[in-house]
Amino acid sequence: MTERETTQRSIAQKLTTGGDDHLPSRRRLAASLIAILCLALYFASPASAQDVTGPNRALFVTPELPDADAYRSGSGSPGERYWQQEVDYEIEVSLDAQSRRVSGSETIHYTNNSPDALDYLWLQLDQNLFRPGSRGSDIQPPDSRWRGAFDGGGIDVSDVRIEGREASYLIDDTRMRITLAEPLRPGGSSVEVRLDFSFTIPEYGADRMGWLDVEQGTVYQLAQWYPRMFVYDDVQGWNVMPYLGQGEFYLEYGDFDLEITVPRDFIVAATGELRNPDVVLTATQRSRLDAARSSDETVTIVDVDEVGRASTRPNGTGPLTWRFRAENVRDVAWAASQAFIWDAAGWEDVLNMSFYPKEGLGTPDNPGWEESTEYVRHSVAHYSERWYPYPYPVAINVAGIVGGMEYPMIVFCSVRARDEALFGVTTHEIAHEWYPMIVGSNERRHAWMDEGFTTFINHYATEAFYGEEAASRLSANYIAAGMQQVDDQPIYTAPDLIPRDGLGFLAYRKPGMGLYLLREYVLGPERFDAAFRAYTERWAYRHPLPSDFFRTIEDAAGEELGWFWNGWIFGTGTLDQRITNIEERDGTTLVTVEHGDGLLMPIELLVEYDDGSAERRRIPVEAFMHADAFTQTVEGTDVSRVTIDPNGMLPDVDRSNNSAAGTTEVSSPRN
């Protein structure tokens, strides 16, 4: 398929879907009719001929987004009638370390704030990914990061009750539907669901949970571990996409009361604030924690030499129950081990903590998890000061089998990570506390709105920690190479539809680079930062769509950016800015530049003169609305050289045509 055909197909797809598959049916019909008309005009118009306008003209067609309404405004803010459901949980579980099994019960308080009556409820049973024959196990190859199926896996659910009465339900793979005896009325009605559940912990659970045997015990990392409500929202209704492993999560906000019973020699870390430290900690540990809260330096709570000693646990026999409370969060996760070293430090009202076995310790030349709390503290402080204040009482990093994964207030990182690699994975997972933990986007459909956003803000956190020479994922040359190798799908593609070798590029690095360029090259830091903070503030603890992000950035920055969203988010083109001709005419120098197909950026020119002086010229993207080429007039005929993108910021796929000597014909064929 040619580039032009690809562009035309992209226009048709965006017009008929609104750039988003959440449009209500009547809007889809209207958008489809508009699409037919627009495409007919596009193909019939002489202006579409190559010799009159280039294919980049299509990028300036305003993306068709879902209509603004009382729920989501045209400015990108939540509308005056915006609503979302609330889900509160009471969960009691116990860990059987001998059988590696978790069992317990939960009570769900579900509040229907929607304008719709609900006849049934949908719950996520993510542990069923690990049941033999699950959809996910059938499609994940043996070497997949998201593997984990094993004999005996899956979650057992029993004694399901609605308001105390036995409920009718069905389970289909990772989804469970509970039928309500009476419709749940709109506008704030609530219902109580109670159920029991249990499962055997997989050793390696799709790189998001599991257990790891170490010298002094076992590290358990528990995530996606309890039946969780699916989201019911204003654009999709029930979001009941199955859990296949690669796509992540979309969850409602609420309050959690969590009780975890473990063997007495275990230490537990979890989402939320510990409510019974006097029961599960010694007086020495409580005193050390109090000191850590006001300390900029890391304070040891359980030292390496104390691990395994009876004196580190309260007197008595039998298991201990740890109680946690978390408010206004979308999930809870936890970890437990008898091998944990534990340290902490404070920042404002946040207690930053790390839990790790001695296998995580490094050396002076290659520091390890003994530096983790410093990394956590730096990340929390940096993101809070730059984007949005961290709202929770704790921020926790846990070392174990999981390579890198995030949950509210707690993240899991590899016990093998060291030095800058450990900093990198820690600051990335902590950044997820903002996107999508605070700003609750739909990761199942739009991975770029959490992974790309965190990759972007990681760049500045890393610079702040290591200096401007720090390594970054946002390398222009790397992105240019990736565009040519794996960029055959748009960033907008749902994560389950992206080949696994392309996910890192399309969900993380390319959108991260796009935001970086939007800040540093297109809008400038002042306008971009104000707009990005506005997006974060508007959608904190809410469910934004891509269109809400696009509209907020344009609204707060004061810039029409359809060409950027079309090319960078919806498109698959590459960037190739080039000089095609330099000539003298009537005492001036004419510099002709072109864009290749599919991706636009303003063009920055460095014009150097014979006397050694130089100046910069900037050509806006609007110069390419009606033609591939644009000619910049430079006064005088003493131009010695002209260079495009002199700082090398852009992911240009061919830099050989970015510079030319004055008065030189350097024309190259158009794509």
Side-chain angles (χ1 to χ4, degrees), residues 280-397:
V280 298
L281 301 181
T282 66
T284 298
Q285 290 162 354
R286 297 196 299 272
S287 176
R288 291 173 178 176
L289 272 177
D290 287 341
R293 293 179 193 279
S294 58
S295 174
D296 295 342
E297 303 298 323
T298 300
V299 175
T300 299
I301 314 304
V302 177
D303 202 351
V304 59
D305 296 327
E306 296 176 324
V307 175
R309 293 183 182 178
S311 60
T312 65
R313 309 307 307 118
N315 293 329
T317 60
L320 287 171
T321 298
W322 297 60
R323 294 184 171 88
F324 298 88
R325 169 79 175 174
E327 297 179 353
N328 207 14
V329 296
R330 34 175 269 166
D331 199 5
V332 290
W334 56 284
S337 180
Q338 62 280 68
F340 275 152
I341 301 166
W342 178 8
D343 58 42
W347 180 79
E348 295 193 353
D349 295 327
V350 182
L351 184 61
N352 306 277
M353 297 184 284
S354 297
F355 297 77
Y356 50 95
K358 70 178 184 179
E359 285 80 359
L361 293 169
T363 65
D365 294 333
N366 192 29
W369 276 80
E370 66 275 12
E371 303 294 325
S372 167
T373 293
E374 181 183 359
Y375 300 159
V376 173
R377 184 180 185 277
H378 166 81
S379 301
V380 168
H382 176 85
Y383 300 134
S384 293
E385 292 167 349
R386 191 156 198 159
W387 305 117
Y388 187 86
Y390 185 75
Y392 300 123
V394 299
I396 302 168
N397 197 11

Side-chain angles (χ1 to χ4, degrees), residues 126 129 140 146 206 208 224 228 241-250 405 443-447 494-498 503:
D126 292 347
L129 173 68
Q140 296 294 344
W146 299 283
R208 297 194 171 109
Q224 292 101 255
R228 308 182 295 179
M241 296 176 71
Y243 177 44
L244 302 177
Q246 184 163 301
E248 293 188 346
F249 319 109
Y250 187 32
M405 194 59 206
E443 301 169 83
R444 282 283 173 89
R445 297 179 185 275
H446 307 295
D496 283 326
L497 300 177
I498 299 174
L503 185 69

Side-chain angles (χ1 to χ4, degrees), residues 22 230-233 236-241 250 442 445:
H22 307 318
F230 276 106
V231 171
Y232 185 86
D233 64 25
Q236 192 70 26
W238 286 109
N239 286 259
V240 289
M241 296 176 71
Y250 187 32
N442 186 344
R445 297 179 185 275

Side-chain angles (χ1 to χ4, degrees), residues 601-620:
M601 279 286 169
I603 292 182
E604 185 169 326
L605 293 178
L606 175 65
V607 182
E608 299 175 83
Y609 297 97
D610 293 340
D611 63 1
S613 63
E615 66 171 326
R616 292 181 183 248
R617 301 286 186 93
R618 188 174 179 88
I619 303 173

